[in-house]
Structures are given as structure tokens and as C-alpha cells.
Amino acid sequence: MSDVLILNGRLVDPASGVDAARDLLLRGGRIAAVEVPGGFKGVKVAETIDAAGMVVAPGLVDVHVHLREPGQTYKESIATGTAAAAAGGFTSVVAMPNTVPVNDSVAGLEWMLDATRGACVKLFAMPAATFGSMGEEITDFHELRRAGAVGFTDDGKPVLHDRVMREALVAAAGIGVPVSQHAEDTRLTGGCSMNAGPVAFRLGLRGMTVEAEARIVERDIRLLRDIERHDGLRPHLHVQHVSTAKAMDLIRGAKAEGLHVTCEVAPHHFTLTDEAIGDYDSNAKMNPPLRNDADRLAMIAGLMDGTVDCIATDHAPHALFEKEQEFERAPNGITGLETALGLALRVLHKGHGMTLRRVMELMSAQPAGIVSLEGRGTLKVGSFADVVVFDPVAEWSFEAKRSRSKSRNTPFDGAPMLGRVAFTLSEGRVVFKG
Ligand SMILES: [Zn+2]
């Protein structure tokens, strides 16, 4: 592996508290040294990246992606999904277990993480919390953790039964990893394909209420409290893709109480509302659904005030023929890896005055912390040379047809973006060049 110098950039590394002009030397896949500009004069390397006018930041970390392999590689593969990640500035992604078959065994997990799958950025995985994600019997957390699991989830579905969720939280607490919950009380959402409200009425569709999300978050918080009191453990609940003001308030309260709750918000939930569905556009269909503007603003408030720990894409590729069905039949989900940074910078940084440092914290340091990725999410000396170099003022439009993903299901085709990735480096190797 050859040495790389990244010169003349503005280093934004929230974990080490640096936001200043710095040069970086990458050696052996690690950050070898960080110096003030000019500090590496005379150092000979194989490759030099001129980052003048650019931000140099820790490679982005996404704790919520669907890479569709094994079983549905017509939608995406580990190779294409991680290529899309690299194009979006991501250097670590956590694959969800709702593959075919469900990732609920050590053999399945090892197969997924094997180098021959061709991941071009660092791939991590959260196996299923219950066998087949059926919500009945928890998987072997110890063995799966030993094989590399960074958490457990039945994403796509909630762990509905109180007893099973309690068991999962206790088992995960014993090994220091989170249980990631898709908060949806499916007993309230049968037959629903979008958010409940005036838009659903106009379209004649059944809508999911905010209570369906809030009820699971409320129940899970109750379980955390109960386990802390009675089992002497400190379980970690991670609430996935929060979409409602009501759930956000519950999480804010649980954090104030001192419980170990973290949560993520997806870019589409702070950018769009259910109005984006327009005339039954299935590229605006995902679960949880796009909500109303008060909920959207509540996501931004949570991102600004620290209630939200990270931005996660919920990258969920689907083939054109699947999304071209009538709205109610079309599958949930949109691609998101290549639009996350551009939307975060446009909506949060430019639109709402969030500092670049806070954006980077939400997209690198904090998501890395949630799943305890050692040596990632920071550019401190000694950490992995996972780096994104981007132009923070470049304005551009996302073109779905140029996506590295196999799928094109996005409501952001043609949408304005702010900030363009110039280089993504994974452990010192350039894996994307803009
Ligand atoms: Zn989900």
C-alpha cells in the first residue's frame, strides 16, 4: 500500500476537536501524521491529493444500509452498494439482515463479510435479532458477535413481543452492542402505504399514524428502565429512522432520564414531506413514510439539539419493475448513499445553520460510536485512513442515471445538492474520485 499526502485542505474532525488547515500523511492504511500546512515539505510519497478549497473529514459511516446480497442481487450487490457508498463519501456501512435468506447465522454473516464479496469500503453487519426476523426466538448473540456482528436488528419489522425484545436487550447488553429497532407497531399499520393525514385522504390511501411509531419507542424505553432496575444491566437501544415529533420527544425524555438510547434520522425525513408522493410516485414510498412538515421540522430540531445521534440513509434499492407497480403494491424504500451528504449540507448546514463540524459528527464520529467501530469516524493519528475530501460549496444536481447503485429508486433525481465528493479513501486507497 502506497503512502498518500492530502495537502492544503480544511480538516474537520469532530472527534479530535479540529477544524483548521491541516495536511495529512497516510501510511499503511492508517493516519500516520497530521501537520500544519507545509509540515510535510520534502516528504516523498506515491500520491499527493491537493485539497485546496476542500473539506477533509473522516469517511462517513452509515449504520443502516440494505445491500440485498445474498438473494436479491438484481436490486443491488455488496460490490455495487459499497461503490455507491464510496461515491457518497461513506467508508463504513452496516448491512441490515433482511437478505434472502435472512442473516441470522454465523455462516450467513461470515459469507456476507467475506472479502470475495468485493466490498470497496469497510463492510459491517447487524444480523437478525430473532431467527428469520420472525420476532419469536432470539439468535445466538454471543457467537454472532464473535463473528463480527456490531448489533442486532429485525429491521423492516419491529420486535413486537415485549418478552422477546426484553431478552434481546438483555443479551445485547451482556456483550456491549445495541439492539436496533424498527419502531412500528404493525398491529396498527396493516394495509397502510403512507403517512396518515390530508394527503392520504386525497389519494384514497390508508395511512400509518404517528402512534404506530411512538408506541414501540415508548414500550422499548419502558423495557430499558425495567432492565436497568431489575437486571443491573445497561442495555443500549438504537431507534432506527425516527420520523415523528412524538417519537423524538420520547427519545429526548429517555435521554434526559439517563437511559442508553441513541437514534438516527434519514435524509428524506428531514428533506421531504408526504406531499412529495404527488400523484402516487412510488419513489417517495418508504417505511417509515414521509410525514408532514411539523414532523420534518421536529427531525431538524432533534438533529440540531443533540437528541439525534446520527444521520443514516436506510439505502434500500429496488428494481424499476418493482417500483412501477401501483403505489400500494410497490415495495418500501429508496436509495440514499449518494445523496445523503448533499442533502445534509443543503438542508441542515445551509438551510438551518448547522455547523460543518456538527454535520460531520452526525455522519462519522457519532455513528461510528454507536456501533463501536474502533479507529474509524476520526482522523486522529493511528486511526484507519478512511477519508472523504469534498468541496463544501459546490452546487450540483443528482442524476439517478449516473448512480453507482444497481437501482434508481430515488425521489431526488434532479434534486439540488450542496457539497460534492472529490475523493473517498478507504484504509488509504482511493475508492472514489469525483
Ligand atoms: Zn426499517
Side-chain angles (χ1 to χ4, degrees):
M1 200 177 301
S2 48
D3 296 358
V4 181
L5 273 175
I6 303 177
L7 304 178
N8 312 314
R10 169 183 170 190
L11 176 63
V12 180
D13 183 19
S16 55
V18 177
D19 181 351
R22 290 285 184 276
D23 292 347
L24 277 71
L25 173 64
L26 283 44
R27 178 168 285 161
R30 301 269 181 169
I31 304 296
V34 178
E35 291 285 350
V36 293
F40 293 118
K41 205 165 268 165
V43 175
K44 292 267 176 288
V45 292
E47 187 172 4
T48 300
I49 292 172
D50 181 6
M54 305 269 179
V55 167
V56 178
L60 309 181
V61 177
D62 192 345
V63 297
H64 191 156
V65 302
H66 299 272
L67 300 180
R68 307 304 190 202
E69 187 173 359
Q72 295 178 313
T73 48
Y74 65 96
K75 296 176 195 256
E76 192 76 288
S77 67
I78 287 170
T80 60
T82 55
F90 289 90
T91 53
S92 297
V93 294
V94 179
M96 295 293 105
N98 62 338
T99 47
V100 182
V102 170
N103 178 19
D104 61 5
S105 68
V106 168
L109 176 61
E110 287 176 342
W111 187 91
M112 195 184 269
L113 297 180
D114 195 90
T116 57
R117 299 285 87 74
C120 74
V121 301
K122 187 69 184 172
L123 176 64
F124 297 92
M126 278 197 196
T130 67
F131 284 105
S133 286
M134 299 300 282
E136 286 160 11
E137 191 189 341
I138 69 166
T139 53
D140 191 337
F141 283 20
H142 271 277
E143 285 301 312
L144 288 163
R145 172 66 178 154
R146 232 194 302 264
V150 296
F152 297 91
T153 183
D154 280 352
D155 181 45
K157 301 173 179 178
V159 180
L160 219 46
H161 294 298
D162 296 6
R163 177 187 56 78
V164 180
M165 186 60 184
R166 194 182 195 287
E167 266 178 44
L169 285 167
V170 166
I175 50 179
V177 296
V179 177
S180 267
Q181 178 76 293
H182 170 110
E184 176 192 358
D185 191 333
T186 47
R187 292 164 298 199
L188 299 176
T189 57
C192 297
S193 55
M194 64 172 295
N195 182 46
V199 184
F201 275 117
R202 176 170 64 76
L203 295 171
L205 297 171
R206 283 169 68 94
M208 303 186 193
T209 60
V210 299
E211 279 73 29
E213 181 170 274
R215 271 174 61 153
I216 295 296
V217 173
E218 197 165 32
R219 189 279 314 262
D220 289 347
I221 289 169
R222 216 170 340 105
L223 289 173
L224 289 183
R225 198 181 290 129
D226 180 71
I227 293 166
E228 283 209 4
R229 280 195 195 142
H230 297 107
D231 300 59
L233 290 165
R234 189 166 160 74
H236 176 186
L237 170 72
H238 179 70
V239 186
Q240 297 177 301
H241 41 48
V242 179
S243 66
T244 63
K246 195 163 184 179
M248 188 67 73
D249 283 342
L250 290 165
I251 293 163
R252 192 176 281 116
K255 287 189 164 197
E257 191 184 329
L259 297 169
H260 193 183
V261 186
T262 55
C263 73
E264 69 193 33
V265 165
H268 44 274
H269 287 126
F270 64 67
T271 305
L272 300 175
T273 67
D274 53 5
E275 298 281 357
I277 293 167
D279 195 14
Y280 304 96
D281 181 359
S282 62
N283 280 334
K285 181 183 179 186
M286 70 291 285
N287 188 9
L290 296 172
R291 305 285 186 176
N292 65 28
D293 207 45
D295 285 317
R296 184 184 75 87
L297 293 172
M299 298 309 101
I300 293 173
L303 286 154
M304 301 293 290
D305 75 11
T307 304
V308 179
D309 299 276
C310 69
I311 292 168
T313 67
D314 192 7
H315 177 81
H318 292 293
L320 184 62
F321 75 88
E322 295 170 311
K323 279 292 198 183
E324 273 187 337
Q325 300 176 85
E326 59 189 282
F327 191 86
E328 286 174 285
R329 283 167 177 268
N332 287 308
I334 63 169
T335 58
L337 286 163
E338 290 158 292
T339 48
L341 180 63
L343 292 171
L345 292 172
R346 173 165 70 84
V347 178
L348 303 175
H349 175 57
K350 189 177 176 202
H352 288 264
M354 182 183 283
T355 61
L356 268 179
R357 180 175 163 164
R358 173 72 181 147
V359 175
M360 291 303 113
E361 192 173 61
L362 285 163
M363 298 188 80
S364 59
Q366 291 193 168
I370 288 167
V371 286
S372 304
L373 306 185
E374 278 305 312
R376 299 185 197 270
T378 175
L379 296 177
K380 282 178 195 155
V381 171
S383 55
F384 288 101
D386 288 354
V387 188
V388 59
V389 179
F390 65 92
D391 177 347
V393 295
E395 293 183 18
W396 58 290
S397 295
F398 178 66
E399 280 182 83
K401 67 171 194 282
R402 292 177 181 268
S403 174
R404 265 74 176 172
S405 168
K406 271 191 195 177
S407 293
R408 299 287 179 268
N409 52 308
T410 170
F412 298 114
D413 190 18
M417 301 281 146
L418 177 65
R420 188 151 209 171
V421 176
F423 293 91
T424 305
L425 296 98
S426 172
E427 299 186 3
R429 279 175 306 112
V430 174
V431 290
F432 175 79
K433 205 168 166 179

